[in-house]
Amino acid sequence: MTVRYGPDHARQATNLPEHEAIYKQIHDMILFGRLRPGQPVTIMGLADTVGAGITPIREAMRRLTAEGALQALGNRRMCVPEPSAAQIEQVYFARFAVEPELARRAAAHANPAAIKALEAIDDDVDAAIRHGSIEAYMEGNHRFHFALYDLARAPTLTKLAASLWLQIGPSLRVVGGRFGTSNLPDMHSETLTALRNQDGDAAASALRDDITQGRDLLAQSFTEARV
């Protein structure tokens, strides 16, 4: 069954103007792998799925193409790009540079309320892993990381991290489907311990290990796909 979320629902859920809410819906469809790498999409198809008009869908697709989240196929079709091994290497090179530094900075600003909020998100991630829900894992994992990164008070670095996640999210969804949620990256407890201790080096190390887990699973997935 296809669930459709029209613009009224999006505005109520996000309190955003219609065009921004529609952009966010399609953005999240890509980020959380509801649109698979290589899957063709059209303006009309997305308009029907989202329940929105052609103009805001076209504008959202234009923005997402500029961000590298969509790729033109010709004949008015687009798709979520299928990253090459070289592109994945570059994304992870950038993630290793940006995200551990965000965790390091976040440790300096961690307070009991922020840590409690992160713990609640991590409980949701753990439940998703136990229940084998890839979509719930991906959404919860994203919430955890970006709640952490918001603590860093480094908006330029956080924006870079968000762009990198948008490029790699669909591929991680495929990996989750292949290997199951129990094998997906989850160094949250180590990160939380570092935050409680306000240990920036330990927080950066935990994030580095988390990113490494995801990179290694993607590399394994690429290898198996070629066999």
Side-chain angles (χ1 to χ4, degrees):
M1 180 177 68
T2 300
V3 179
R4 295 177 58 186
Y5 297 98
D8 289 341
H9 178 281
R11 281 198 298 272
Q12 292 169 7
T14 63
N15 203 27
L16 293 172
E18 179 182 346
H19 69 283
E20 284 293 335
I22 290 169
Y23 163 80
K24 187 176 188 307
Q25 283 182 266
I26 301 173
H27 172 282
D28 287 356
M29 289 169 67
I30 296 169
L31 176 64
F32 301 127
R34 298 180 196 120
L35 294 176
R36 299 183 306 277
Q39 177 183 347
V41 296
T42 64
I43 293 174
M44 292 298 295
L46 281 177
D48 183 62
T49 299
V50 174
I54 297 298
T55 299
I57 293 290
R58 181 183 289 114
E59 173 61 17
M61 293 177 75
R62 184 194 66 77
R63 288 173 62 182
L64 289 162
T65 300
E67 293 169 1
L70 287 174
Q71 179 181 44
L73 293 175
N75 197 26
R76 299 185 179 181
R77 296 186 308 154
M78 308 192 88
C79 74
V80 177
E82 294 187 82
S84 65
Q87 289 170 323
I88 290 174
E89 185 276 329
Q90 291 175 55
V91 167
Y92 275 92
F93 178 89
R95 289 193 66 190
F96 280 121
V98 171
E99 294 178 57
E101 178 60 24
L102 282 166
R104 186 190 312 279
R105 296 184 184 208
H109 302 292
N111 56 60
I115 292 171
K116 184 177 180 179
L118 284 166
E119 288 171 341
I121 298 171
D122 190 41
D123 287 343
D124 291 340
V125 174
D126 290 342
I129 291 172
R130 287 195 305 272
H131 296 139
S133 174
I134 296 168
E135 184 162 331
Y137 164 85
M138 291 192 68
E139 292 183 4
N141 189 52
H142 182 271
R143 282 195 297 129
F144 182 92
H145 279 259
F146 283 87
L148 172 68
Y149 300 160
D150 283 344
L151 289 175
R153 303 179 188 177
T156 299
L157 293 179
T158 300
K159 186 176 180 180
L160 285 171
S163 173
L164 295 169
W165 275 60
L166 186 59
Q167 294 178 59
I168 210 68
S171 296
L172 285 176
R173 175 64 177 266
V174 173
V175 167
R178 177 168 294 177
F179 296 110
T181 54
S182 62
N183 294 303
L184 291 172
D186 182 19
M187 297 294 293
H188 297 174
S189 62
E190 292 83 354
T191 304
L192 287 166
T193 297
L195 295 182
R196 294 186 195 103
N197 296 330
Q198 292 194 314
D199 187 337
D201 288 343
S205 179
L207 253 293
R208 197 172 293 110
D209 289 345
D210 188 277
I211 294 168
T212 298
Q213 287 179 357
R215 181 200 62 188
D216 291 349
L217 281 173
L218 269 178
Q220 184 179 346
S221 179
F222 261 72
T223 299
E224 292 183 1
R226 290 169 180 164
V227 174

